[in-house]
Amino acid sequence: KEAYQFGKLSIDLSDKLNRPGDKCRSHFMVANFMTVWVKHLRHARPLNDEGYQIGLTAGELLFSGYILFYKVLNGFYEGLPLDRVVVDIEPFLQFNRRTQNQLALDFLRGFQRAIGMLTGDTSEQGTGPHDEPHDEAVFVRSFEEHQSTMALAYFRIVKTQMLYLLGRFEESLQEAGLAESIIDAVGGNVAVAEHNFYTSLCLAALIPGASAEAREGYLERLDAYQAQMARWQSGSPDNFTHMQELVTAERRRVEGRHHEAADLYELAIL
């Protein structure tokens, strides 16, 4: 909460000192790395909208381009319909091509490829839009060549979610591990919590069929992830309570406590 207050102060100071470029950058940081930990994610939306417009006026095209990606990512994590989320990707790509903003391009490319596993706009093995490579290893290598570690982390986190939703739990958990190895690159963003959430759901899904040794390891990891989620939930219940309830429900289901699980599922939906 203190970081959020200091972030808001930076916006006010930038305004008072008539430094629109700094104000754009402050909007970017507060919207995408602070707000989610104290308020519902939807409150990032007006901050990003204003920051983008200020950036255009000030000629701060680098951070304006970054903001466009986070408008897409936040909309996705808010739970907006996918057709509303993806409709902006192409014009946002075009903006960042014109401004030669490689990191923002990689942000959007990675998201587009991962989300395409659900939308059908691209396939996991096939070419994506704009002649993206067939081979994912080549695709990932392009991020490494650009030193776009943040973009690669977002790609792996979103792909973890896509694989889980497709019922490919072992692959999802493997992808979550790849994401975790570089997750510090996106520290402070809501994607870190989403990674925790979907990794936890994968662990719960795999527990029933696991060996005794693997089961014990999964449970230990699940406990650690949920302890972290509880800390986030205490600071921002609007964003994280449903995650905590749903994973706890899955834990109760695995334990055979089906009535408790049903109650928690209902709470998570509400």
Side-chain angles (χ1 to χ4, degrees):
K1 291 183 179 179
E2 289 183 14
Y4 175 77
Q5 293 302 324
F6 276 111
K8 294 287 284 183
L9 178 61
S10 73
I11 292 175
D12 293 340
L13 284 173
S14 299
D15 197 27
K16 185 176 181 179
L17 297 172
N18 192 28
R19 298 177 64 110
D22 288 342
K23 190 174 182 182
C24 168
R25 292 186 286 272
S26 295
H27 271 76
F28 166 78
M29 290 301 299
V30 174
N32 304 304
F33 294 90
M34 299 177 190
T35 296
V36 68
W37 309 111
V38 296
K39 291 185 175 183
H40 193 281
L41 184 57
R42 66 175 176 272
H43 292 288
R45 213 181 308 160
L47 286 167
N48 274 326
D49 289 342
E50 185 177 356
Y52 174 70
Q53 293 300 328
I54 292 168
L56 290 184
T57 302
E60 177 46 271
L61 301 182
L62 186 70
F63 276 81
S64 294
Y66 295 156
I67 286 171
L68 292 179
F69 164 68
Y70 285 94
K71 284 165 63 71
V72 172
L73 187 71
N74 290 347
F76 174 63
Y77 285 139
E78 278 185 60
L80 298 181
L82 280 180
D83 57 349
R84 286 180 56 189
V85 172
V86 303
V87 70
D88 288 327
I89 293 178
E90 184 54 38
F92 290 176
L93 281 166
Q94 291 176 7
F95 176 92
N96 284 294
R97 288 193 193 99
R98 289 196 301 271
T99 59
Q100 299 182 358
N101 189 337
Q102 188 60 59
L103 180 57
L105 285 170
D106 287 344
F107 283 155
L108 290 160
R109 290 172 58 225
F111 181 84
Q112 186 177 44
R113 186 179 183 110
I115 203 73
M117 295 172 65
L118 284 187
T119 64
D121 290 339
T122 183
S123 68
E124 192 174 357
Q125 302 299 328
T127 56
H130 313 298
D131 299 321
E132 293 288 9
H134 281 66
D135 188 345
E136 185 172 298
V138 176
F139 181 77
V140 168
R141 190 155 55 247
S142 72
F143 283 25
E144 295 168 347
E145 290 169 353
H146 301 152
Q147 297 184 328
S148 297
T149 307
M150 288 182 72
L152 182 57
Y154 286 128
F155 167 67
R156 294 209 179 282
I157 291 168
V158 177
K159 187 181 174 187
T160 295
Q161 180 175 350
M162 298 302 101
L163 289 167
Y164 174 81
L165 294 175
L166 292 168
R168 294 157 60 178
F169 304 128
E170 291 184 0
E171 293 174 75
S172 180
L173 189 61
Q174 182 179 9
E175 193 69 29
L178 294 172
E180 189 154 358
S181 68
I182 53 174
I183 203 165
D184 287 349
V186 295
N189 184 261
V190 66
V192 175
E194 295 285 346
H195 173 269
N196 176 305
F197 179 52
Y198 279 96
T199 304
S200 297
L201 291 176
C202 283
L203 290 167
L206 291 169
I207 285 170
S211 66
E213 182 178 359
R215 181 187 178 96
E216 182 178 353
Y218 288 164
L219 287 169
E220 288 179 2
R221 290 179 64 187
L222 188 55
D223 287 341
Y225 282 120
Q226 284 306 93
Q228 177 61 70
M229 184 63 76
R231 289 190 285 272
W232 290 329
Q233 187 271 340
S234 67
S236 188
D238 287 346
N239 288 314
F240 304 120
T241 298
H242 68 288
M243 295 184 182
Q244 185 84 342
E245 289 169 341
L246 184 55
V247 175
T248 304
E250 283 288 272
R251 178 71 178 265
R252 296 292 179 268
R253 176 186 63 80
V254 167
E255 295 168 345
R257 298 157 66 178
H258 299 298
H259 291 297
E260 292 179 45
D263 290 340
L264 285 163
Y265 285 133
E266 186 171 354
L267 285 173
I269 293 170
L270 297 175

